[in-house]
Amino acid sequence: MNILTVEDDPNIASFLHRGLSAEGHSVTVATNAKDARRWVTTLGTDLDLILLDLGLPDENGKDVLRSLRAAGVTTPVIVLTAQDGLNDKVAGLDAGANDYITKPFAFDELLARIRAVRRSIGQASSNELVVGDLTLDLLTKLAQRGGRQIELAPREWVMLELFMRHPNQVLSRSQILSNVWNYSFEPGSNVVDVYVGYLRRKVNLPGLPPLIQTIRGAGYRLTPT
Ligand code: CA
């Protein structure tokens, strides 16, 4: 998932960034309300979740949330708050939050809340992506092809999700890099090719038609068989 964390405490921001990245998420960090608004605009519908601190240096998180909702932004929001008073929670939910979590929190609890928000949002769509004989369960992160289970490392899983959300579409190295690693393109870096190589060895199973193809000079494409 593409997650925007809005948190001015550098320790918490870095804890969230490391933890969520290790879970395979793409994490963007904003440390104030101004940057948060800018990222919400830049990422648009690519953004899957916002983790929003209420006590920001330039503005109250509740006001940020209220204005985003008023502007039609429907991205799920989990409010992170040090204030555990009932009024803050109610106000956060009233302002348009999907859930809240009180600091300090256990990382596992945050992950559980993220899954819960995702389930409640994603009921209409399925938790499973299917392209040809390949399936990816978005909750368990397990992939299967032709009934055979494929073990994926977090980056591989994020990359496969990207390919499966854009079947038949050629994805350039810079698109893959910015979606999977959240970096802008560094000329000369071959990290994308290396990881596509790993993924391809797992997905292009012997005896089955290859799903991931190299398009010379353009990038890579997942084509259902
Ligand atoms: Ca704060």
Side-chain angles (χ1 to χ4, degrees):
M1 277 204 289
N2 274 321
I3 301 179
L4 173 66
T5 67
V6 187
E7 171 61 67
D8 60 314
D9 181 316
N11 293 325
I12 299 175
S14 123
F15 166 72
L16 291 172
H17 185 265
R18 273 184 286 118
L20 294 170
S21 300
E23 288 292 311
H25 298 295
S26 247
V27 184
T28 305
V29 177
T31 57
N32 56 54
K34 188 164 164 270
D35 280 355
R37 291 178 198 282
R38 194 169 50 84
W39 277 115
V40 169
T41 307
T42 306
L43 296 167
T45 53
D46 284 342
L47 187 58
D48 301 309
L49 177 70
I50 302 170
L51 300 179
L52 178 66
D53 177 32
L54 290 187
L56 295 170
D58 52 345
E59 214 176 316
N60 186 305
K62 268 178 283 192
D63 296 333
V64 175
L65 179 53
R66 206 171 280 120
S67 69
L68 291 177
R69 292 295 186 238
V73 174
T74 56
T75 310
V77 172
I78 297 177
V79 158
L80 309 172
T81 173
Q83 306 139 307
D84 58 355
L86 182 63
N87 287 345
D88 277 310
K89 292 173 183 172
V90 171
L93 293 171
D94 280 349
N98 299 73
D99 200 356
Y100 59 83
I101 188 164
T102 305
K103 291 187 258 186
F105 52 83
F107 193 67
D108 283 346
E109 186 191 353
L110 177 65
L111 291 179
R113 283 176 188 268
I114 290 175
R115 285 195 295 272
V117 164
R118 194 173 192 178
R119 273 196 301 276
S120 66
I121 304 292
Q123 285 309 353
S125 62
S126 163
N127 289 323
E128 199 171 67
L129 294 175
V130 180
V131 176
D133 60 358
L134 183 67
T135 60
L136 176 64
D137 187 311
L138 296 171
L139 295 177
T140 63
K141 306 180 183 185
L142 289 175
Q144 283 200 348
R145 185 165 181 208
R148 285 150 79 180
Q149 196 146 308
I150 302 171
E151 296 279 340
L152 297 170
R155 292 287 176 197
E156 296 166 349
W157 174 79
V158 175
M159 186 181 277
L160 184 59
E161 179 177 351
L162 176 69
F163 276 117
M164 291 180 78
R165 288 193 187 279
H166 303 90
N168 293 313
Q169 194 177 320
V170 179
L171 300 176
S172 69
R173 287 176 179 77
S174 62
Q175 282 175 313
I176 296 170
L177 192 67
S178 64
N179 275 278
V180 177
W181 281 269
N182 221 19
Y183 302 155
S184 50
F185 191 59
E186 296 164 43
S189 160
N190 69 345
V191 63
V192 169
D193 305 276
V194 170
Y195 272 82
V196 170
Y198 294 154
L199 184 60
R200 172 183 253 163
R201 277 197 287 278
K202 293 184 175 181
V203 167
N204 290 352
L205 293 173
L208 295 174
L211 286 179
I212 298 178
Q213 293 141 357
T214 306
I215 310 300
R216 270 183 90 88
Y220 297 97
R221 181 172 61 194
L222 177 73
T223 309
T225 53

